[in-house]
Amino acid sequence: MFIKNSFSGKNWRLAEFDERQTLLISQRYKLDKIISKLIAIRNINVEDISSFLSPDIGQILPDPYILKDMKKSVNRIYKSIINKEKIGIITDYDVDGASSAALLIKFLNKINVKTLVKIPDRLNEGYGPNKRIIDEFKKQEIDLIIALDCGTTSFSVFNKKILGNIDVIVVDHHISELNHPDVYGLINPNRLDENNDLKNLAAVGVTFLLLIALRRELRNNDFYNLNKFNEHNLTIYLDLVAVGTACDVVNLTHLNRAYVSKGLEILQKRNNKGLASLVDITNINHIPNVFDLSYIIGPRLNAGSRIGNPELATKILSSNDQIEIESISRKLYLLNEKRKLIENEMLLEAKKQALKKINKKIIIVHSSSWHPGVLGIVASRLLEEFRKPTIVISKKDKEGVGSGRSIPEINLGSLIIAAKNDGIIINGGGHKAAVGFKINNNKIDELSNFLETKINIKINQLDQVSFLYDSILTIEQINENLLSNLELLEPFGKGNKEPKFLILNLNINFIKTIKEKHLIISFYNSIGNSIEGICFNVINTILGENLLSSKNKNLNIIASIKRNNFSNNSSAQLIIDDAIFA
């Protein structure tokens, strides 16, 4: 069934699948038809289905030394450890950077290696290493710098003129340029000279591979026995890998799927006191999932750098001091509440600008009054609503700071690097889906024109993009068996999207606004069956207005289906994406 001009203005079509493939999957793996169909839609190779349903990280992990500079970097870190050199860590201020840093800090602390951690100020310094940090490391007589989730394009800072005798190892995943900074080692699966299948890893996933290789080096040199240390059990750190991977919105396929699947298991054990505190303060009263990591825990970790202290996320993830952890947890909670208020005000103004630019291939909005700490969130929200790559810029004096988000069809990271090479932006980078940069305010229109010409998709093609739903259901088919089967496909995320269903012939019995952002809706059908649903961040949108005016009208609802464990009573709940009159 093709749906045109839904309540939100989107086009929807039923995903295509091979009936014979579905039957083969069902028979070979003894799976229900609906789950077999969903697997077929995701084009998972029949031979890979077992590892998809039950990802075994031990079987999937590659040899870390397939990555360029891994061997020489591990040797250099080992030398630093045995010679008791001073190690400095620079990391990005987002969740991927914070979890990468916490991973390395915990590993080194276990063998009594202390580090000095420095994080750039998101608001005043922007992304990546800077001279202030290098100067501070020099004062502390640091011998080795390890840059995590940043540094791949830091040419102005990572050069011998500024570094002097300090060696630098970069552990990153952002898209590189043809040339590299003057560093000792660059471990990055997205180096242009790399040939591997690890390009979807977040920085924390690359950092975990570094620690596997470093543990091997320590073991091979009998370090643990000679120094009477217990050997590292790296599995216990996979909760950190899961958080960083989920929050960086990388594809949850292959190794990333194994990272997150096993990491969620470790998270339940509450080994990491910081993560356990965040779970508690946010009232997650069920087994945590990717949604919880991405939309509940992640925003709180990010709140510190957005409008507060950029060090809070790394501290809470790496600390074992319960008093410190509880203090930081409360601070992050309050900062996140403040962030929501700022975001809502900015979003209203940004939407007004965006509506005037709907005939563009890329939406670029800007203001001198916008808080630079929440640009990425606003860009994501605009992307969701307008389905076009979006850039949000906060202007201050003569320079602006920009953050962008993109659709799968357009590689925004490569476009921003091209704009940098053409002298349009001051600096910047990122990956396919997300970018950050600095720009002179008088160059914003030039950037807009540059990107319009570089995007090779016509505007009418963007407007005609259709969204996919996986299957058609009635309320009667939504039961415990379906919920259990859907849970076999978890974890969901980019690359393994949560299934969406067209649920037929529902009427709204009850509808209520909560927190001035979301809608809670009770549906019923013609034979009296009912189901609850929630539609997130929908107030002041076209979809929200249409739903509020459709009480007692016959609707078809597009939604994902989740288990709701509220008050220990398990039931199905619709997470509503869209609707249309039946």
Side-chain angles (χ1 to χ4, degrees):
M1 182 185 292
F2 183 77
I3 297 170
K4 191 172 183 180
N5 295 325
S6 64
F7 277 13
S8 68
K10 295 176 181 175
N11 302 322
W12 292 86
R13 63 180 174 86
L14 183 62
E16 298 177 357
F17 66 100
D18 187 326
E19 285 278 9
R20 291 176 297 178
Q21 185 82 339
T22 300
L23 182 60
L24 172 63
I25 293 168
S26 179
Q27 291 176 344
R28 181 177 293 188
Y29 293 97
K30 297 180 173 56
L31 297 170
D32 280 5
K33 184 177 179 181
I34 182 66
I35 298 304
S36 301
K37 176 182 174 182
L38 294 173
I39 292 172
I41 289 170
R42 281 149 184 74
N43 293 317
I44 299 164
N45 189 299
V46 174
E47 305 303 324
D48 295 334
I49 290 173
S50 288
S51 62
F52 175 81
L53 295 175
S54 302
D56 183 344
I57 194 165
Q59 296 293 322
I60 297 174
L61 274 171
D63 188 325
Y65 291 138
I66 67 170
L67 291 173
K68 292 183 184 300
D69 285 2
M70 179 67 83
K71 182 65 176 175
K72 66 182 291 192
S73 298
V74 165
N75 289 341
R76 179 65 185 87
I77 297 171
Y78 176 74
K79 174 188 170 185
S80 186
I81 291 170
I82 61 173
N83 290 335
K84 296 184 170 24
E85 293 180 345
K86 291 186 177 180
I87 298 176
I89 295 174
I90 303 175
T91 189
D92 189 19
Y93 35 64
D94 70 0
V95 181
D96 188 18
S99 54
S100 298
L103 196 61
L104 182 56
I105 291 166
K106 282 183 169 291
F107 182 98
L108 293 175
N109 280 350
K110 192 174 175 63
I111 53 175
N112 274 349
V113 176
K114 304 304 178 185
T115 55
L116 180 63
V117 182
K118 295 292 179 183
I119 303 170
D121 187 301
R122 183 196 290 259
L123 306 183
N124 299 312
E125 296 175 322
Y127 170 81
N130 57 61
K131 191 173 182 299
R132 172 191 65 82
I133 292 176
I134 302 301
D135 287 343
E136 290 184 17
F137 280 154
K138 284 181 175 179
K139 289 178 183 176
Q140 296 293 326
E141 298 182 330
I142 294 295
D143 300 292
L144 174 66
I145 294 172
I146 303 176
L148 303 170
D149 195 26
C150 60
T152 294
T153 57
S154 297
F155 298 96
S156 62
V157 178
F158 287 161
N159 59 69
K160 289 301 179 185
K161 183 177 179 181
I162 291 178
L163 291 171
N165 294 323
I166 303 175
D167 286 332
V168 174
I169 293 169
V170 171
V171 184
D172 199 3
H173 70 131
H174 293 100
I175 296 170
S176 79
E177 299 184 27
L178 187 61
N179 296 316
H180 301 151
D182 190 4
V183 296
Y184 186 91
L186 173 59
I187 305 168
N188 184 341
N190 283 298
R191 284 173 51 152
L192 294 183
D193 58 347
E194 274 283 13
N195 181 22
N196 60 70
D197 59 357
L198 302 173
K199 298 185 184 300
N200 283 318
L201 291 183
V204 70
V206 184
T207 304
F208 189 77
L209 293 180
L210 170 70
L211 298 189
I212 291 173
L214 183 54
R215 181 182 65 175
R216 184 187 301 175
E217 185 70 11
L218 295 171
R219 180 191 291 158
N220 290 344
N221 286 280
D222 208 26
F223 176 88
Y224 293 106
N225 288 330
L226 291 173
N227 294 279
K228 296 181 171 55
F229 288 120
N230 292 326
E231 186 171 302
H232 288 91
N233 174 11
L234 296 180
T235 304
I236 65 171
Y237 302 138
L238 284 170
D239 49 5
L240 290 169
V241 181
V243 170
T245 299
C247 290
D248 221 51
V249 201
V250 292
N251 279 354
L252 294 191
T253 53
H254 305 297
L255 181 53
N256 281 340
R257 180 171 172 80
Y259 274 154
V260 174
S261 181
K262 187 64 177 177
L264 286 169
E265 288 181 23
I266 301 300
L267 184 59
Q268 293 178 52
K269 298 179 180 180
R270 299 172 64 88
N271 293 325
N272 187 294
K273 294 177 181 179
L275 286 174
S277 178
L278 290 169
V279 167
D280 292 341
I281 202 168
T282 52
N283 296 315
I284 298 174
N285 54 9
H286 53 263
I287 297 172
N289 53 41
V290 172
F291 180 89
D292 299 321
L293 300 184
S294 302
Y295 296 101
I296 298 178
I297 293 175
R300 281 155 184 79
L301 287 168
N302 268 327
S305 67
R306 292 191 188 283
I307 56 175
N309 181 344
E311 297 179 356
L312 292 178
T314 297
K315 282 184 177 179
I316 195 172
L317 294 179
S318 59
S319 178
N320 288 313
D321 183 331
Q322 194 62 44
I323 294 175
E324 179 185 47
I325 286 168
E326 290 177 4
S327 173
I328 295 174
S329 185
R330 286 191 295 270
K331 286 178 184 175
L332 290 174
Y333 180 86
L334 293 173
L335 286 170
N336 193 52
E337 293 302 304
K338 184 178 179 181
R339 185 271 305 168
K340 290 177 186 177
L341 295 174
I342 295 170
E343 175 196 331
N344 289 339
E345 291 178 3
M346 281 177 55
L347 186 60
L348 287 174
E349 187 179 343
K351 275 186 182 179
K352 291 177 183 177
Q353 287 191 38
L355 286 168
K356 298 175 183 177
K357 302 183 179 186
I358 55 175
N359 293 323
K360 299 281 190 180
K361 296 178 187 176
I362 183 166
I363 293 172
I364 299 180
V365 295
H366 50 86
S367 172
S368 57
S369 64
W370 288 347
H371 196 294
V374 294
L375 299 176
I377 303 174
V378 174
S380 294
R381 296 285 295 279
L382 293 177
L383 175 72
E384 289 173 11
E385 184 155 349
F386 295 100
R387 182 58 186 175
K388 290 180 180 178
T390 301
I391 288 173
V392 182
I393 299 172
S394 172
K395 298 184 293 186
K396 184 178 180 181
D397 299 327
K398 295 181 180 181
E399 287 185 4
V401 178
S403 184
R405 300 292 183 268
S406 190
I407 59 177
E409 294 84 355
I410 296 172
N411 187 332
L412 193 55
S414 294
L415 290 172
I416 287 298
I417 286 178
K420 176 185 173 184
N421 291 337
D422 275 25
I424 299 172
I425 64 174
I426 298 169
N427 58 46
H431 44 79
K432 288 179 66 174
V435 297
F437 60 89
K438 280 187 179 181
I439 186 170
N440 287 319
N441 294 334
N442 60 10
K443 291 270 193 176
I444 292 175
D445 288 341
E446 185 178 348
L447 175 66
S448 178
N449 294 332
F450 175 85
L451 295 176
E452 284 288 321
T453 59
K454 287 291 184 180
I455 293 173
N456 294 321
I457 299 177
K458 295 180 179 178
I459 184 68
N460 63 338
Q461 290 175 304
L462 284 172
D463 291 336
Q464 292 170 10
V465 167
S466 56
F467 295 75
L468 299 178
Y469 64 93
D470 294 271
S471 192
I472 302 172
L473 299 175
T474 61
I475 287 185
E476 290 75 29
Q477 293 172 289
I478 303 174
N479 51 34
E480 175 62 32
N481 184 57
L482 177 65
L483 289 173
S484 297
N485 278 307
L486 289 175
E487 286 165 355
L488 292 174
L489 301 181
E490 294 181 354
F492 298 120
K494 187 179 176 185
N496 179 36
K497 291 187 177 180
E498 190 159 8
K500 298 186 187 301
F501 301 93
L502 178 64
I503 301 147
L504 302 175
N505 299 315
L506 300 180
N507 289 74
I508 296 176
N509 178 48
F510 171 83
I511 186 166
K512 178 182 178 182
T513 301
I514 57 171
K515 297 184 178 179
E516 300 180 356
K517 293 175 67 176
H518 319 303
L519 288 176
I520 291 284
I521 307 175
S522 175
F523 296 101
Y524 68 96
N525 67 4
S526 58
I527 59 174
N529 291 321
S530 63
I531 192 168
E532 298 294 320
I534 186 167
C535 196
F536 290 108
N537 298 310
V538 73
I539 300 304
N540 295 320
T541 69
I542 299 171
L543 173 58
E545 291 169 3
N546 280 320
L547 286 170
L548 284 166
S549 63
S550 297
K551 189 173 181 181
N552 294 322
K553 295 178 181 177
N554 195 220
L555 306 176
N556 293 334
I557 300 294
I558 293 174
S560 53
I561 301 169
K562 285 187 178 293
R563 185 187 299 277
N564 183 3
N565 290 311
F566 183 73
S567 298
N568 295 319
N569 292 319
S570 177
S571 61
Q573 182 182 50
L574 304 182
I575 310 299
I576 301 162
D577 287 276
D578 214 336
I580 192 169
F581 291 118

